[in-house]
Amino acid sequence: MIEEYKIKEIQTLEKKIIMEMMPIEGFTCLDVGFSRGWFTRHFLQKIGKLGKVYSWEPNKFLFENYLKKWKFKNLIGYNYALSHKTGLQKYYIYSHEGFLSGFNSLEPAQIKEKYVAVEEIKTKSLDDWWEEVNKCKVDLIKIDCEGHDYKILLGGKKMIQESKPKFIWIESNDESVSKYMENENYVKNNQFNGLGLSDTIWEKLTKEKQT
């Protein structure tokens, strides 16, 4: 457990460096997997008055004690999970409040600890959410959902193709995720990924970058 904390500290430092480098003023950002709000907080600090953040946290404790209490005009929070479909799905819980709550997911975690409960929770696809918000412009998507990242991408295919977010920041390095991103004309941003971050930052390939 101590080693896991050290890894988290290193990853947090890497992410902070990248956040300072990333030009996102005026962006509309999606934080899929809010947890205790590290990304949402940094997005809010950088997007300025014209930007907006939408955040999702299905864990009731984290939503009630963190996301719901954040009163910002340009932040909207949701207490359900994003997935490839809208409906109800099993949610595997490793802890309601502690460190292991970060592993709570719609997928069983690949860790030695066993989940303590399974609940049925509300899920929605990104495409369905996007329709609800009148197809707002989306500039950046961050996804950290413990193995469910690919299914979230599948549920947002229409939005990604039409809104064309500049950056998609994903914790997963899964081959299916990489193939999906490449098929949608995204490339790994070497400026950010070269820092050694375990996550992958994908950037939309524009005509200028193709030439």
Side-chain angles (χ1 to χ4, degrees), residues 47-68:
I47 58 175
K49 294 181 179 179
L50 298 179
K52 195 162 190 176
V53 179
Y54 296 90
S55 299
W56 285 263
E57 180 48 60
N59 181 301
K60 184 177 181 180
F61 174 83
L62 295 177
F63 178 80
E64 294 289 341
N65 289 276
Y66 293 89
L67 182 51
K68 188 178 180 179

Side-chain angles (χ1 to χ4, degrees), residues 3-155:
E3 290 182 359
E4 290 177 351
Y5 274 114
K6 288 183 178 179
I7 292 172
K8 287 288 184 182
E9 288 177 2
I10 294 171
Q11 291 175 343
T12 298
L13 178 59
E14 293 169 347
K15 290 171 183 176
K16 187 175 181 180
I17 293 171
I18 292 174
M19 285 298 298
E20 291 174 352
M21 296 168 58
M22 189 172 282
I24 63 171
E25 186 173 356
F27 271 30
T28 293
C29 303
L30 310 187
D31 186 358
V32 186
F34 173 87
S35 188
R36 288 170 172 78
W38 191 94
F39 273 94
T40 291
R41 181 174 69 253
H42 283 78
F43 289 156
L44 289 168
Q45 290 173 349
K46 292 205 65 179
I47 58 175
K49 294 181 179 179
L50 298 179
K52 195 162 190 176
V53 179
Y54 296 90
S55 299
W56 285 263
E57 180 48 60
N59 181 301
K60 184 177 181 180
F61 174 83
L62 295 177
F63 178 80
E64 294 289 341
N65 289 276
Y66 293 89
L67 182 51
K68 188 178 180 179
K69 291 184 177 180
W70 289 22
K71 305 299 182 183
F72 296 92
K73 293 181 179 179
N74 54 351
L75 169 64
I76 297 178
Y78 303 96
N79 186 210
Y80 61 82
L82 289 173
S83 186
H84 61 299
K85 62 182 181 179
T86 297
L88 296 173
Q89 294 187 55
K90 290 181 179 179
Y91 184 62
Y92 297 87
I93 298 173
Y94 293 83
S95 172
H96 289 282
E97 304 177 16
F99 173 77
L100 289 176
S101 63
F103 293 101
N104 295 351
S105 175
L106 294 171
E107 306 287 342
Q110 301 300 312
I111 58 175
K112 62 181 181 180
E113 287 82 1
K114 184 174 175 58
Y115 53 84
V116 296
V118 180
E119 296 180 357
E120 200 171 55
I121 65 169
K122 176 184 175 181
T123 64
K124 187 174 290 186
S125 71
L126 262 177
D127 283 343
D128 285 349
W129 166 82
W130 193 52
E131 292 284 348
E132 291 177 359
V133 295
N134 299 315
K135 296 185 176 182
C136 70
K137 181 71 175 77
V138 175
D139 303 292
L140 186 154
I141 306 173
K142 165 259 167 182
I143 305 174
D144 181 0
C145 291
E146 303 303 323
H148 204 70
D149 314 82
Y150 177 60
K151 291 181 180 178
I152 291 170
L153 291 170
L154 290 178

